[in-house]
């Protein structure tokens, strides 16, 4: 095991992401310096934000460098350590990237208690996506019992947690998802009050039927027509947690048409990045972990096998082909 | 003086407002009942929100009824009273409508001290437009000294106050206005740091030059391309006070194209209606009145003569032909 595999950004997509934008490489495992540790990554998380990083555009984060390991969250096991705080056999969440192994100096690592919840869940409902749902719901939407929240990409890693956490607060949860199978899952397995299939062609009418009392909070993961349709059903003083614009990640601008409703309904909208609110993570992760361990917060995963499958899985994620949290199993 | 003139809504515009949507009527002055008073309106305020009321659409306020006096803010003199709190000779601000006289039961009237500032200013910088600027700047944007605010319709009643109040807070104020004459006024007379002429055809480049350190707060009165251009220059965590969408009042939807920037720059946007925050008015009006009386807050008016001139003046307002606060002098 003197080498491992990684995937680097070979070129930047102008629009749709294609296999040629990635390159699989075999590289040598480096010698550890003092203060470093070596992690064998077990799971890689694939997330929509990665599409934005592939652009060479002004954004909240620096673009992914060409020829470098693709950025990504991972969970894995420490296999060697010259760091005083980490020992072989410990499990950690890290930004290990699209790679079988990662060297770290300990910065940003989060030690995992592998006993309570499955290891992979620390990349999903008890990790960044779960915290995204928790923060947007608790710190931005802040709904009262009986109010209605609408969440797009409702069967996804973030959306599924948003609706379930809202139900635990006594709210009415309406999902929007693509296809009957996902919608059935959202209602029957996750307990949402309703879920609208945006692919069925009656988005606005179906949303009106699903939210007869209007919408008090939008947790927006998609943008475009789906967002406009939810805005059209808002009640006065509705709030919007703007989390993602997946529909726009392929380069095309997706305008918002219902701008006047932001004024007419005196809406408060806030875009947010959950990694800028790390002070909330201990409280949120403790709550999420306890809910998962108690079986009160469910999640679903789509797992592709082996690092080489990551580009195909990522392209599927951008097209909504995954069902729940998209992971790559590396070991 | 047994009759007076008023203007009613004759029909609803489908797009552009035209003279035939209004009708001038002569009506009898009614007998006052107990608890009522009669006001002779001296000035009528014309404001962009009136265009929205002319539609029969779901909005924050009920639509203007057909055949009824057009809604509008007025200042005037009490000329007869059977109300215990109001005596002839007193001056009041009221929602007296597009009419030479108004009967009131006292609800919503605001007594004016006619000595401190000119009567007409109570419809502008020391009235609703001034309070709109004050509330959006102090309660939504809440900028720190040295930060940059960008305000559209900068020579208008609201925008001109926004920039001057921002300068008094130690902020940098950038205006957007239509035409070189308005821009010159905004910089030379009102003291903004810069003003971009959106009609000059280089909006984005000119705004970049005017705001080299980016924009921390947008006070949006217009929407459409002007709003998108300001969004394109926002710094992280910028705030938007969404006050008006005048560009869309003629019926056409004006999409927002820079939706992704709301997320990328973690922007907080809030639509607001200042009349829902009456608790702030005493503090705000006292501050605005004192600044006007001290000559530290300037304003400009466009005054058309006589009630019959109101429709033409209103159509001009919607096209930006006014310069500062648009009023109709009735006496």
């Amino acid at each position: 095991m003197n080498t491992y595999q990684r995937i680097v950004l070979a070129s930047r997509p102008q629009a749709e992401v294609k296999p040629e934008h990635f390159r699989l490489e075999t590289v040598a495992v480096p010698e550890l310096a003092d203060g470093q540790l070596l992690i064998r990554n077990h799971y890689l998380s694939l997330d929509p934000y990665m599409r934005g990083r592939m652009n060479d555009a002004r954004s909240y984060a620096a673009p992914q460098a060409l020829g470098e390991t693709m950025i990504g969250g991972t969970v894995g096991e420490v296999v060697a350590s010259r760091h005083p705080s980490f020992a072989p056999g410990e499990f950690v969440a890290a930004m290990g990237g699209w790679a079988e192994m990662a060297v770290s100096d300990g910065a940003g690592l989060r030690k995992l208690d592998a006993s309570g919840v499955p290891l992979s869940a620390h990349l999903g409902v008890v990790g960044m996506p779960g915290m995204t749902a928790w923060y947007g719901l608790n710190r931005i939407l802040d709904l009262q019992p009986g109010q209605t929240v609408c969440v797009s990409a409702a069967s996804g890693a973030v959306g599924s947690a948003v609706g379930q956490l809202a139900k635990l607060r006594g709210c009415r949860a309406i999902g929007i998802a693509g296809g009957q199978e996902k919608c059935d899952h959202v209602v029957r397995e996750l307990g949402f009050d309703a879920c609208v299939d945006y692919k069925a062609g009656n988005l606005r009418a179906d949303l009106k039927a699903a939210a007869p009392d209007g919408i008090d909070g939008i947790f927006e993961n998609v943008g475009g027509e789906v967002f406009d349709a939810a805005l059209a059903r808002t009640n006065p003083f509705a709030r919007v947690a703007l989390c993602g614009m997946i529909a726009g990640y392929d380069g095309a601008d997706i305008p918002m048409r219902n701008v006047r409703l932001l004024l007419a309904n005196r809406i408060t909208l806030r875009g947010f990045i959950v990694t800028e609110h790390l002070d909330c993570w201990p409280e949120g992760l403790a709550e999420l972990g306890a809910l998962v361990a108690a079986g009160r917060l469910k999640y679903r995963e789509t797992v592709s096998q082996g690092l080489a499958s990551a580009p195909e899985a990522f392209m599927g994620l951008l097209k909504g082909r995954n069902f729940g949290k998209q992971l790559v199993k590396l070991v």
Side-chain angles (χ1 to χ4, degrees), chain A:
Chain A
M1 285 296 288
N2 293 325
T3 63
Y4 68 96
Q5 290 195 305
R6 68 173 189 171
I7 290 175
V8 302
L9 181 63
S11 60
R12 300 193 189 281
Q14 296 308 307
E16 193 173 355
V17 178
K18 296 189 172 163
E20 61 261 35
H21 298 121
F22 304 98
R23 186 173 63 240
L24 184 69
E25 295 182 347
T26 300
V27 291
V29 175
E31 293 285 314
L32 292 183
D34 264 354
Q36 293 185 335
L37 62 150
L38 184 66
I39 306 164
R40 180 187 303 279
N41 297 328
H42 284 222
Y43 288 95
L44 164 66
S45 173
L46 295 179
D47 299 277
Y49 75 82
M50 295 164 171
R51 177 63 186 86
R53 300 292 180 89
M54 294 173 79
N55 294 333
D56 187 14
R58 185 182 175 217
S59 185
Y60 51 86
Q64 164 74 47
L66 286 172
E68 298 288 337
T69 306
M70 280 288 295
I71 192 175
T74 51
V75 288
E77 181 180 359
V78 178
V79 291
S81 178
R82 296 182 63 183
H83 190 293
S85 305
F86 296 91
E90 291 185 316
F91 286 88
V92 292
M95 291 301 287
W98 296 27
E100 293 173 325
M101 306 196 93
V103 173
S104 168
D105 63 1
L109 294 192
R110 181 161 54 90
K111 286 197 190 188
L112 304 177
D113 173 6
S115 61
V117 301
L119 190 61
S120 62
H122 293 287
L123 289 175
V125 67
V126 194
M128 191 267 283
M131 274 310 299
T132 301
W134 188 95
Y135 184 87
L137 194 68
N138 289 303
R139 294 291 191 264
I140 298 180
L141 298 186
D142 194 26
L143 298 171
Q144 302 302 310
Q147 289 191 308
T148 298
V149 64
C150 178
V151 54
S152 53
S155 70
V158 175
S160 62
V162 169
Q164 292 180 85
L165 292 173
K167 291 297 293 177
L168 289 168
R169 286 177 76 119
C171 296
R172 185 172 162 82
I174 309 298
I176 301 176
Q180 196 56 48
E181 185 192 4
K182 287 182 178 177
C183 285
D184 287 347
H185 171 73
V186 163
V187 172
R188 294 177 193 167
E189 300 298 320
L190 304 181
F192 284 45
D193 295 282
C195 188
V196 171
D197 175 11
Y198 71 83
K199 292 182 177 173
N202 304 299
L203 177 56
R204 296 209 171 203
D206 291 348
L207 199 55
K208 186 171 183 176
D213 299 326
I215 292 169
D216 304 293
I218 298 174
F219 194 110
E220 188 52 53
N221 291 312
V222 173
E225 289 180 27
V226 166
F227 186 25
D228 272 326
L231 281 171
R233 295 299 303 156
T234 46
N235 290 323
F237 306 106
R239 301 170 73 87
V240 178
L242 185 62
C243 171
M245 295 264 113
I246 194 172
Y249 282 148
D250 264 351
D253 270 332
I254 301 206
M256 181 198 302
R257 302 203 168 274
N258 275 331
V259 191
R260 270 183 290 181
L261 277 181
L262 296 175
L263 174 58
N265 283 344
R266 293 84 92 206
I267 289 173
T268 299
L269 174 153
R270 206 182 121 200
F272 74 106
I273 309 292
V274 74
T275 46
E276 291 179 331
H277 306 283
L278 294 175
D279 56 308
C280 296
W281 284 51
E283 177 189 352
L285 290 177
E287 182 181 332
L288 294 165
L291 287 169
V292 168
R296 300 179 67 197
L297 184 56
K298 297 175 183 173
Y299 61 97
R300 183 157 173 161
E301 297 171 341
T302 295
V303 183
S304 75
Q305 299 294 326
L307 181 66
S309 71
E312 186 69 29
F314 180 62
M315 291 182 280
L317 170 72
L318 293 179
K319 293 184 171 162
R321 293 201 195 111
N322 60 309
F323 195 153
K325 176 64 200 157
Q326 179 68 56
L327 299 169
V328 180
K329 192 170 191 316
L330 301 173
V331 179

